[in-house]
Amino acid sequence: MQKLTKKDNFFENFSEKGIANFRYIYYNIQCKWGIVDNCGEKLLTISRKAVRNMRGEYSHAIDGKGRLFIPAKFREKLGTTFVVTRGVGQYLSVYPMDEWEAFEEKIRSLKSKQALELQRYFVAPAQDSMPDGQGRVLLSQKLRAHAKLDKNVLVAGMGNHLEIWDEETWDSMNPSAEQIESIMEEAGI
């Protein structure tokens, strides 16, 4: 828990709105701010989207039991529990719980046949994952089969989520420098 002082802008904003009777602001792993009173009773919760900036490529091997090591740099940003599901291509996507819940809510809010198809594709195979003491997560056989993950994989940070690829597939699908230059030109970058 972090005590706030009068100089903290966050504290002043709530004081101006007439919210008194609180002593501390706390921050939990899902990036939610809340105001608690002396007894720890939550009076108000304010969501704040975390700046995750998950970047980088890390090569790892899946062990014989289907477990994959998630780099510590990513585990910190994913939180204690996160979701692994199919990617749109031949890879797996890993989402922090709040990003996943927002994505799932968007799918549920659709009122069409496509919503059901999206639920079947993304939600049905999704698994809540929590790393073990050594930072490994168990990937189900169905998810590994979808991404054709056998032994050597690449974990890629994609900003707000991760992708898990078969390392050979990742290497073969990456565009050349000339293709990237053309894409950047078209995008005005």
Side-chain angles (χ1 to χ4, degrees):
M1 257 189 239
Q2 170 189 1
K3 283 186 182 181
L4 293 181
T5 62
K6 188 68 175 164
K7 67 179 181 163
D8 290 302
N9 190 26
F10 195 72
F11 178 87
E12 289 175 17
N13 286 340
F14 283 102
S15 294
E16 290 168 11
K17 293 179 180 171
I19 299 173
N21 298 335
F22 66 91
R23 301 285 187 268
Y24 301 99
I25 302 277
Y26 77 97
Y27 178 74
N28 71 21
I29 199 72
Q30 275 87 27
C31 303
K32 305 235 188 242
W33 289 92
I35 300 173
V36 296
D37 68 7
N38 287 344
C39 301
E41 181 182 342
K42 192 188 304 186
L43 300 174
L44 177 66
T45 300
I46 304 107
S47 292
R48 180 182 71 82
K49 195 164 195 147
V51 178
R52 292 202 171 75
N53 297 326
M54 291 186 273
R55 294 188 277 268
E57 299 175 356
Y58 298 88
S59 295
H60 290 285
I62 294 178
D63 70 13
K65 295 180 180 179
R67 297 174 299 190
L68 172 66
F69 176 78
I70 301 293
K73 174 182 175 181
F74 292 147
R75 287 194 315 267
E76 292 171 8
K77 295 178 181 186
L78 287 169
T80 56
T81 305
F82 45 88
V83 176
V84 181
T85 192
R86 293 178 186 152
V88 176
Q90 191 178 318
Y91 62 92
L92 302 179
S93 293
V94 182
Y95 292 95
M97 194 56 75
D98 62 332
E99 293 281 346
W100 174 255
E101 288 170 352
F103 177 69
E104 199 172 1
E105 182 58 37
K106 284 181 188 175
I107 292 174
R108 273 196 305 269
S109 70
L110 299 172
K111 305 292 184 212
S112 65
K113 182 182 176 188
Q114 287 86 3
L116 189 56
E117 291 171 2
L118 291 173
Q119 285 178 320
R120 288 179 182 142
Y121 188 84
F122 291 110
V123 180
Q127 66 179 52
D128 291 353
S129 298
M130 189 175 352
D132 65 13
Q134 295 177 333
R136 301 170 302 188
V137 294
L138 180 64
L139 300 174
S140 72
Q141 178 57 41
K142 285 193 173 204
L143 287 176
R144 286 183 305 196
H146 167 78
K148 296 185 177 24
L149 302 178
D150 184 33
K151 183 75 174 160
N152 297 322
V153 301
L154 186 121
V155 180
M158 302 299 289
N160 68 340
H161 71 283
L162 302 178
E163 291 180 354
I164 301 173
W165 288 81
D166 171 76
E167 199 163 27
E168 285 183 26
T169 304
W170 174 265
D171 290 340
S172 69
M173 49 88 32
N174 276 324
S176 68
E178 292 81 22
Q179 290 170 315
I180 291 295
E181 187 175 24
S182 173
I183 291 169
M184 290 177 72
E185 263 183 45
E186 287 177 28
I189 300 174

